[in-house]
Amino acid sequence: MQANWNDSQPIYRQLRDKVIASILDNELKEGDALPSVRQVSADFQLNPITVSKAYQELVDEEVVEKRRGIGMFVQMGAREKLLSKERHQFLTEEWPLILEKIERLGLNKSDLLNRQSNSSGGENS
Amino acid sequence: MNMTTFKTLVLREYWENKSFQRAPLIIAGVIIFSLIIGLFTAQTFIVQFGETINFNGDFSSLSQADVSELGIAMKGFQYGAFLAPLSIGLLFVLFFYVLGSLYNERRDRSILFWKSMPVSDTQTVLSKVFSAFFVAPVITASVAVVSQFVGLILVTLMVWFNGGSAWDLVWANSSLFSVIFNDFALIIVITLWMAPVLGWLWLVSAYAKRAAFLIAVFVPLGVMLVEGMIFHSAHFAQLIGEHLAQIEPLVESAFENGHPFGALAQGEMWIGLTICALCVAGAIYIRRFRDDSY
Amino acid sequence: MSSIITAEGLKKSYGNYDALRGVDFTVERGRIVGLIGPNGAGKTTALKAILGLTTFDGHLDVFGLDPRNDRHRLMQKVCFIADVAVLPKWMKVSQALDFVSGVHPRFDRLKAESFLKKTKIKRDSKVGHLSKGMVTQLHLALVLSINVELLVLDEPTLGLDILYRKEFYHELLSEFFDENRSIIVTTHQVEEVENLLTDLMFIKDGQIILNSSMDDVSQRFIEVMVSSDKAEAAKQYNPIAEREMFGRKVFLFDGIGQEIAESLGDTHRPSISDLFVAKMKEVVA
């Protein structure tokens, strides 16, 4: 499996982010099993310690739980938890920056929103 | 020594060296083929081994003296027509087998596979020694027994063809069991007699970086040359020559006595075996600590 | 002793040439160690010493055994692939299976057969008739089915095309490696193994010039892309390497810490190849 790891972050962090992204996108659903450490390490050609570290962080964040002898499973309520965390992050850090940029470019907020809903009017499902 | 391991190692030698079987089978095949041609195209029945018996077509009237001579001839026939060439074939097979046994694996680097297995150098070399002194000779002797049998059948056919009684003429005097016994015993004793030569070949095989054949042949020749030039003597050459020359009397005595074990009483045999043992020990040592093939 | 391998003052000379000049290192269980160095640096010599294929001076302990005396006992717990071209060419696949079954007490024949089923290798084929990639698959099938505690791989993927190389490491990680076993691998394709190593050893001119876990490496070594105004300030921190990219200078630092690094510019993890090149250029005291 090809994965393009960037060099700005430790790989275990990037792996953790991948899992989180899968959960948010609903590819990994609550109660689903994560692939085994061995499987992931073989598929991505990473050492198992790196994979374990990523999984451990997910356990610490209570996104994933370890069931003895069975494996790692996405916790119930994980998606909600992640979603609210991401929303908080967006609202407190990213959104203000976007607003700043909108101001800086001299654009009008309501115009932007109208433009968006017009162009995606017939496409939303 | 773990027996399963040793058995597997010997089996590996057998798999790798098809010549153990092929050479005797090919030689026996050629002999039988020419025998077929010879027996049925000529009315003359010529036996090697110093006995020549001519029969001009009619077997039905033979004197008693003729019949006993025939017995000797049958024995001689089996040895001469089959055992002798097969033994020579075996010696050639052994020469190249032993010379290559510790050399080829370094040249093609397969030694790096053998050494990755939990098998000691001692076990490995001893499995090759066993193959040389026992496996190859036994295979050759077995081929000898079968082909001698075929040879006797062919002679039987020829005798029938010419109106004689095969049992009296051929089988009763063939000393079949003695010959079969001697096939195995004699071949093994001859191989043991050649032990010092094989020992030398094992040393060269373990040591030579390249051109093992040239070293094996030209170093002894070189020694002879040097001895001749410096000491004006030929002791080394004589030593080797005399040792090899003993084979013929050895065979004759087996012929006479029904067994070759007289050779085991000779001191020269044991000196030869000791030299071989020392060479093998040297070869094991070299294979253990050699470092430059990779 | 939890260490699988302990080397102290390990030395080897060939006549006047010092291949190894008294090196110290340990290898623990459950690690994947990359031994990286240029040709002639001493990595093959170090491996040969560990595997009992050469004599040496100094102290070397592998599973509590001295490799010089006990190579064949050591081979019960250790296996190596020195080069994938070393399987005997005359041997048939079935004979290879029979052979290893007969001499190796820890060989699981059924496991090897199941590996081979996944390939196109036929049981009656001779090794000499198989392609290089298939010989690798065969050798790997044999080795991965032996329950050893240490696997030593010396340039195992040399000359193989990419498909076989990827499969090699995949099988290694999924079928062999666990917390009780260790792997030592040397390779020139550093990028290939970069992410699967747990420990890194650089060797140059018979000496070990870097020996640390990948965790420590990622803490210690930081690459910083510095804007031109900070370049002079950056130089004060004694970067171990310097290069240019799109007009900006990229410095590699050893041990300055994440905070200082971030104050100088954009930080990145250096690739092992860049780290290797930098350490090679350093003058060893």
Side-chain angles (χ1 to χ4, degrees):
Chain A
M1 233 177 265
Q2 205 46 41
N4 295 316
W5 307 109
N6 69 56
D7 56 10
S8 317
Q9 277 189 314
I11 294 183
Y12 77 87
R13 186 71 52 74
Q14 297 177 54
L15 187 58
R16 163 192 159 274
D17 290 346
K18 267 195 205 291
V19 175
I20 288 180
S22 295
I23 297 176
L24 285 173
D25 290 343
N26 243 337
E27 281 165 9
L28 261 180
K29 302 198 181 43
E30 293 169 357
D32 279 354
L34 262 58
S36 68
V37 169
R38 187 173 276 242
Q39 188 67 40
V40 175
S41 91
D43 288 343
F44 287 104
Q45 315 249 302
L46 297 173
N47 77 61
I49 294 178
T50 303
V51 180
S52 297
K53 220 168 168 181
Y55 277 19
Q56 190 56 45
E57 280 222 348
L58 292 168
V59 167
D60 292 341
E61 290 171 26
E62 294 184 1
V63 170
V64 150
E65 64 176 349
K66 184 172 182 173
R67 290 187 208 157
R68 285 249 117 183
I70 315 179
M72 299 282 204
F73 291 82
V74 181
Q75 279 217 33
M76 304 310 285
R79 190 161 180 274
E80 269 312 305
K81 207 182 289 175
L82 287 172
L83 216 48
S84 71
K85 199 170 160 210
E86 293 287 308
R87 280 180 188 146
H88 178 83
Q89 168 120 346
F90 180 75
L91 290 171
T92 56
E93 290 174 34
E94 293 168 47
W95 180 234
L97 291 176
I98 296 178
L99 280 179
E100 257 190 63
K101 193 155 187 185
I102 294 177
E103 300 265 353
R104 199 186 308 141
L105 294 174
L107 293 164
N108 184 300
K109 277 174 285 190
S110 10
D111 281 350
L112 282 173
L113 286 170
N114 285 337
R115 176 201 288 259
Q116 191 56 27
S117 47
N118 281 343
S119 65
S120 62
E123 289 164 351
N124 270 337
S125 55
Chain B
M1 167 127 19
N2 183 316
M3 277 326 282
T4 315
T5 302
F6 194 74
K7 266 195 268 180
T8 309
L9 289 173
V10 172
L11 200 55
R12 168 251 158 134
E13 294 302 310
Y14 174 71
W15 287 332
E16 185 175 5
N17 297 285
K18 299 261 182 59
S19 61
F20 285 3
Q21 281 162 240
R22 281 196 192 150
L25 286 173
I26 292 175
I27 294 174
V30 167
I31 296 173
I32 289 179
F33 184 71
S34 39
L35 204 57
I36 291 176
I37 306 229
L39 283 179
F40 292 97
T41 58
Q43 292 292 40
T44 323
F45 179 46
I46 300 172
V47 172
Q48 291 158 311
F49 229 76
E51 312 284 343
T52 307
I53 300 166
N54 294 319
F55 291 106
N56 297 318
D58 187 6
F59 281 100
S60 49
S61 58
L62 286 173
S63 69
Q64 195 55 30
D66 281 343
V67 171
S68 70
E69 255 189 54
L70 196 52
I72 301 175
M74 280 299 107
K75 245 166 77 175
F77 166 65
Q78 291 174 90
Y79 286 130
F82 292 98
L83 195 58
L86 285 171
S87 303
I88 295 174
L90 176 67
L91 293 179
F92 272 95
V93 166
L94 287 179
F95 179 88
F96 289 105
Y97 166 60
V98 173
L99 192 58
S101 63
L102 299 173
Y103 177 73
N104 295 338
E105 61 182 11
R106 287 181 292 122
R107 296 290 286 180
D108 69 9
R109 302 180 80 219
S110 60
I111 192 173
L112 290 171
F113 172 67
W114 305 120
K115 288 232 185 194
S116 71
M117 293 288 121
V119 174
S120 69
D121 297 90
T122 304
Q123 281 171 313
T124 303
V125 176
L126 289 181
S127 72
K128 295 176 197 266
V129 170
F130 182 77
S131 300
F133 283 113
F134 189 76
V135 177
V138 164
I139 293 177
T140 297
S142 307
V143 173
V145 169
V146 172
S147 48
Q148 280 160 352
F149 204 70
V150 172
L152 287 177
I153 290 180
L154 288 174
V155 173
T156 301
L157 291 177
M158 190 203 78
V159 166
W160 279 346
F161 220 62
N162 288 292
S165 159
W167 175 257
D168 292 335
L169 293 175
V170 179
W171 296 89
N173 292 301
S174 65
S175 316
L176 199 59
F177 293 112
S178 163
V179 170
I180 291 178
F181 174 77
N182 257 336
D183 281 342
F184 288 91
L186 193 53
I187 280 192
I188 290 184
V189 168
I190 291 178
T191 308
L192 289 174
W193 192 259
M194 299 301 283
V197 176
L198 296 184
W200 161 246
L201 293 175
W202 266 310
L203 261 186
V204 174
S205 188
Y207 184 76
K209 284 205 185 96
R210 33 174 187 282
F213 179 80
L214 297 177
I215 295 177
V217 171
F218 287 109
V219 165
L221 287 180
V223 169
M224 292 179 202
L225 203 67
V226 165
E227 191 197 343
M229 294 197 309
I230 299 186
F231 298 103
H232 303 292
S233 63
H235 292 311
F236 188 61
Q238 274 172 346
L239 208 65
I240 297 183
E242 278 167 13
H243 190 78
L244 294 178
Q246 300 277 26
I247 293 188
E248 179 154 359
L250 205 157
V251 173
E252 297 233 8
S253 109
F255 194 53
E256 304 286 312
N257 303 326
H259 70 85
F261 298 131
L264 294 177
Q266 295 194 38
E268 208 173 321
M269 166 71 96
W270 297 99
I271 295 176
L273 289 173
T274 307
I275 294 176
C276 183
L278 290 172
C279 290
V280 166
I284 293 175
Y285 182 83
I286 294 174
R287 190 180 190 265
R288 262 189 86 181
F289 295 111
R290 190 178 196 101
D291 179 12
D292 60 359
S293 22
Y294 23 92
Chain C
M1 261 278 166
S2 64
S3 300
I4 288 182
I5 302 180
T6 308
E8 277 163 27
L10 183 60
K11 262 198 246 187
K12 173 71 185 180
S13 303
Y14 293 99
N16 287 332
Y17 173 62
D18 295 330
L20 283 177
R21 295 168 200 250
V23 298
D24 305 322
F25 60 86
T26 58
V27 173
E28 312 290 330
R29 274 185 199 277
R31 316 295 293 181
I32 305 180
V33 181
L35 183 56
I36 318 270
N39 287 330
K43 28 178 223 299
T44 306
T45 308
L47 293 185
K48 276 159 64 169
I50 292 170
L51 298 168
L53 298 173
T54 185
T55 54
F56 55 82
D57 300 308
H59 174 86
L60 178 61
D61 187 289
V62 183
F63 290 112
L65 297 169
D66 182 338
R68 287 171 294 193
N69 299 330
D70 291 311
R71 179 190 60 81
H72 62 285
R73 278 176 61 200
L74 197 54
M75 288 302 122
Q76 304 227 6
K77 293 194 178 185
V78 181
C79 199
F80 67 92
I81 299 183
D83 179 336
V84 288
V86 302
L87 286 182
K89 296 200 171 16
W90 54 266
M91 231 180 191
K92 289 192 203 165
V93 173
S94 54
Q95 288 170 342
L97 289 167
D98 289 336
F99 181 77
V100 184
S101 298
V103 303
H104 213 307
R106 293 195 185 194
F107 180 62
D108 181 345
R109 195 200 175 112
L110 293 173
K111 196 170 178 189
E113 305 237 16
S114 71
F115 277 133
L116 289 175
K117 275 210 195 68
K118 294 193 245 172
T119 69
K120 294 190 190 151
I121 299 173
K122 301 206 189 86
R123 296 191 90 229
D124 279 330
S125 307
K126 286 197 186 169
V127 167
H129 294 151
L130 298 176
S131 73
K132 195 163 187 182
M134 288 164 96
V135 176
T136 314
Q137 286 178 318
L138 174 59
H139 204 162
L140 200 60
L142 292 172
V143 168
L144 294 181
S145 309
I146 307 178
N147 180 13
V148 288
E149 294 168 44
L150 173 66
L151 190 55
V152 176
L153 306 169
D154 191 358
E155 305 270 2
T157 56
L158 203 58
L160 291 180
D161 67 46
I162 186 101
L163 230 71
Y164 285 114
R165 294 212 305 267
K166 289 238 169 262
E167 193 194 338
F168 183 89
Y169 291 111
H170 187 281
E171 293 298 295
L172 204 59
L173 287 170
S174 69
E175 299 295 335
F176 176 78
F177 185 65
D178 66 33
E179 64 272 5
N180 282 319
R181 296 168 165 170
S182 293
I183 301 176
I184 300 179
V185 57
T186 72
T187 179
H188 281 124
Q189 311 270 82
V190 178
E191 315 73 42
E192 209 169 54
V193 298
E194 187 150 356
N195 295 324
L196 43 94
L197 300 179
T198 63
D199 295 84
L200 195 55
M201 261 202 254
F202 286 164
I203 186 165
K204 175 187 173 188
D205 293 333
Q207 284 174 314
I208 294 185
I209 59 174
L210 177 71
N211 182 4
S212 91
S213 69
M214 289 303 286
D215 278 346
D216 287 346
V217 164
S218 63
Q219 309 258 24
R220 254 177 85 177
F221 295 99
I222 308 178
E223 203 173 59
V224 187
M225 191 178 267
V226 173
S227 44
S228 35
D229 57 328
K230 301 255 178 73
E232 279 312 307
K235 285 211 180 122
Q236 299 305 313
Y237 290 100
N238 295 322
I240 63 173
E242 182 183 324
R243 61 188 170 98
E244 269 206 38
M245 214 163 93
F246 306 130
R248 294 172 71 186
K249 284 211 183 286
V250 180
F251 291 109
L252 179 57
F253 293 103
D254 180 355
I256 64 170
Q258 192 67 21
E259 278 194 46
I260 298 178
E262 280 174 5
S263 74
L264 296 170
D266 300 326
T267 63
H268 299 111
R269 274 179 304 119
S271 70
I272 296 193
S273 337
D274 289 336
L275 185 57
F276 180 62
V277 169
K279 289 299 272 182
M280 283 295 128
K281 288 201 188 136
E282 267 184 354
V283 176
V284 180

